[in-house]
Amino acid sequence: MVENIQRVAQEIEAAQLTGAAELEQFRIAYIGRKGAIAALFDDLKSVAPEQRRQVGQELNQLKNRAQARFDEAQEQLANTSAGAEAENAFDFTLPPIPNTLGTRHPLSLVRAEIVRIFERIGFNVADGPEIEDDWHNFTALNFPENHPAREMQDTFFLSEDRDKLLRTHTSNVQVRLMENNQPPLRSIMPGRVYRNEAISARAHMVFQQVEGLYVNKGVSFKDLKETLYYFAKEMFGQDTKIRFRPSFFPFTEPSAEIDISCLICKGEGCNICKQSGWVEIGGAGMVDPNVLDNCNIDSTVYSGFAFGMGIERITMLRYQIKDLRLFTENDVRFLRQFKGVI
């Protein structure tokens, strides 16, 4: 008898009561009128009279333990079900939310189009870190320490020694590309850049940029001009005109600003182009020999050109957007306008 009580006690403790079906089986097997505990009480009459009191007490303890296990599992199952119902509850008085598909961001659309245009003429895509050191962002690009040109690209420094900073252009990728590879090199470098500027309709402290680099023997300014002529016509239309204005950049010599004919007035003059008929889209020039030498490329053998453009500026021109801040405000009314754009 004692062995049977111990066996049933072990079964009760080992029972897995994780669902309603298992709980019901437990009730029938141990607590019900035809269960194992009821059968043990029926067998109590066969126990010797002097042991019947002790065995009866053990049976009562076994019955109480079985009932306690059943009650605990039942309460836990009820709480779990109530929590699931509350989690899945739906307020049918609320207006329906339609299942709508989103759209790609206009900057992503234009970036992808820029990549496609340059890939067709042999450029691949290179990438690099947004957190950069002084050498790759400034010094290797002919920006020596305390050079006044650094004031044009004030940025955000991440350490007191001012050696870690958020890159101000994707030219750092050009440096890393030239340090780790030998010519010929032909790549574009799209990515996010940062500058410490006041946010307005025409400027932001974070924006997208795409730069290009071509280094080989015999590369000339004519190659640069023809490359950018091709890009402008593919991006803005075959009627687009392009011009180069002399300028200064520490990392190119000679250097030029890149203008295209205004897409609004077709070069006639309007408030968008300030009556000039031209809109600036970026800068370009021949890679300075010092930059090539800094990157372990022999400037007496190789030459190259580089260019850089703001993707926001190109997007604003292409889609006639007049406020740069719209790109980062996440206003769905603005973004939905590009749903049909591929």
Side-chain angles (χ1 to χ4, degrees):
M1 185 68 175
V2 175
E3 293 179 356
N4 291 336
I5 293 175
Q6 292 176 349
R7 175 181 55 80
V8 173
Q10 292 174 356
E11 292 176 358
I12 290 173
E13 294 299 331
Q16 298 294 323
L17 306 178
T18 57
E22 295 171 342
L23 195 62
E24 180 62 15
Q25 290 175 2
F26 180 88
R27 187 190 67 79
I28 294 172
Y30 300 105
I31 301 176
R33 292 183 179 180
K34 296 183 180 181
I37 296 177
L40 290 173
F41 272 104
D42 290 340
D43 293 341
L44 185 60
K45 58 188 176 184
S46 62
V47 176
E50 64 273 13
Q51 297 179 350
R52 196 172 295 167
R53 180 184 178 88
Q54 180 180 353
V55 173
Q57 290 177 349
E58 293 181 5
L59 280 174
N60 284 327
Q61 292 175 359
L62 180 65
K63 180 181 178 180
N64 293 336
R65 178 54 186 157
Q67 186 66 48
R69 276 226 64 194
F70 178 83
D71 293 342
E72 290 171 2
Q74 190 176 46
E75 183 179 359
Q76 185 176 3
L77 186 62
N79 292 337
T80 303
S81 300
E85 289 177 4
E87 209 172 284
N88 298 324
F90 181 79
D91 187 351
F92 289 95
T93 65
L94 293 174
I97 300 176
N99 293 324
T100 57
L101 294 176
T103 180
R104 298 180 68 188
H105 195 280
L107 294 179
S108 298
L109 293 167
V110 171
R111 172 173 167 157
E113 180 61 19
I114 292 171
V115 170
R116 284 194 292 268
I117 290 172
F118 282 106
E119 280 182 340
R120 290 198 289 267
I121 54 175
F123 282 78
N124 57 26
V125 179
D127 194 14
E130 293 183 15
I131 298 177
E132 193 53 277
D133 56 47
D134 184 277
W135 168 260
H136 290 94
N137 194 82
F138 288 125
T139 308
L141 291 161
N142 230 20
F143 285 91
E145 189 174 358
N146 297 322
H147 193 286
R150 289 197 181 201
E151 295 298 323
M152 301 167 58
Q153 296 191 9
D154 188 19
T155 187
F156 302 94
F157 293 89
L158 307 181
S159 60
E160 293 183 359
D161 61 7
R162 300 178 71 84
D163 188 54
K164 294 297 182 182
L165 52 92
L166 298 180
R167 66 183 182 186
T168 59
H169 45 197
T170 57
S171 301
N172 68 312
V173 186
Q174 295 188 33
V175 175
R176 292 180 178 275
L177 187 67
M178 289 188 287
E179 284 180 337
N180 298 309
N181 301 274
Q182 284 297 306
L185 303 172
R186 195 194 323 242
S187 297
I188 59 171
M189 301 85 181
R192 186 183 293 109
V193 299
Y194 307 84
R195 295 185 188 178
N196 186 16
E197 296 188 11
I199 298 175
S200 67
R202 296 177 58 86
H204 208 289
M205 49 74 63
V206 55
F207 56 96
Q208 302 281 329
Q209 189 181 54
V210 58
E211 295 192 11
L213 173 71
Y214 177 39
V215 179
N216 204 349
K217 295 179 180 179
V219 177
S220 67
F221 203 93
K222 180 179 183 298
D223 298 314
L224 169 62
K225 293 175 66 176
E226 293 298 332
T227 299
L228 294 177
Y229 283 147
Y230 167 79
F231 166 75
K233 292 181 181 295
E234 290 292 311
M235 176 58 71
F236 301 109
Q238 294 301 311
D239 295 333
T240 304
K241 297 179 181 179
I242 187 170
R243 76 175 183 181
F244 293 82
R245 291 181 289 109
S247 186
F248 166 78
F249 303 109
F251 36 82
T252 54
E253 180 61 37
S255 303
E257 301 281 359
I258 311 165
D259 298 335
I260 63 168
S261 53
C262 181
L263 303 177
I264 306 297
C265 64
K266 305 301 180 183
E268 296 296 326
C270 65
N271 62 329
I272 300 298
C273 62
K274 300 179 181 179
Q275 306 301 324
S276 68
W278 298 93
V279 179
E280 178 188 338
I281 63 169
M286 300 300 295
V287 179
D288 192 291
N290 289 338
V291 175
L292 294 175
D293 293 334
N294 288 338
C295 298
N296 301 317
I297 293 178
D298 191 345
S299 61
T300 63
V301 177
Y302 296 101
S303 59
F305 66 72
F307 58 85
M309 295 174 282
I311 296 180
E312 279 87 349
R313 175 65 62 86
I314 296 173
T315 307
M316 292 175 75
L317 291 172
R318 180 157 180 163
Y319 297 121
Q320 311 305 318
I321 299 169
K322 298 182 180 180
D323 194 328
L324 189 77
R325 293 168 291 192
L326 290 170
F327 293 127
T328 53
E329 288 178 347
N330 296 322
D331 189 330
V332 294
R333 296 170 298 178
F334 168 72
L335 298 175
R336 283 173 184 159
Q337 298 178 67
F338 302 91
K339 187 173 183 179
V341 180
I342 299 177

